[in-house]
Amino acid sequence: MIETRQVHSRADVKIEVVHDSGRNSAVYLGVHTDEGSFEVNIDRQDFPSLMHMLNTTYTDTHTH
């Protein structure tokens, strides 16, 4: 399996998304700040719903 890692960083936050080519493996999401961290493994079957929710939130908060 091939691992793919994407990282976004700025002064006070680091966001990581990691997945591999395996069909059954979860997608790792990590958000790290100076104040704390949040890490979760997301089942791939839930990923489309998560993306929809994030896209809706982005649209709602960037068009007003």
Side-chain angles (χ1 to χ4, degrees), residues 2-64:
I2 299 170
E3 182 178 279
T4 301
R5 178 180 301 267
Q6 299 176 78
V7 178
H8 166 77
S9 296
R10 59 183 173 86
D12 59 348
V13 69
K14 178 180 176 183
I15 301 170
E16 297 177 272
V17 176
V18 181
H19 71 280
D20 64 41
S21 58
R23 297 188 76 165
N24 295 325
S25 61
V27 175
Y28 166 84
L29 170 65
V31 179
H32 311 281
T33 70
D34 291 341
E35 297 175 8
S37 293
F38 172 81
E39 298 177 351
V40 64
N41 290 313
I42 302 166
D43 189 300
R44 288 183 187 223
Q45 70 181 1
D46 299 319
F47 201 69
S49 295
L50 174 62
M51 289 305 302
H52 174 75
M53 291 185 281
L54 291 172
N55 285 327
T56 298
T57 301
Y58 179 83
T59 299
D60 289 351
T61 59
H62 285 82
T63 59
H64 296 106

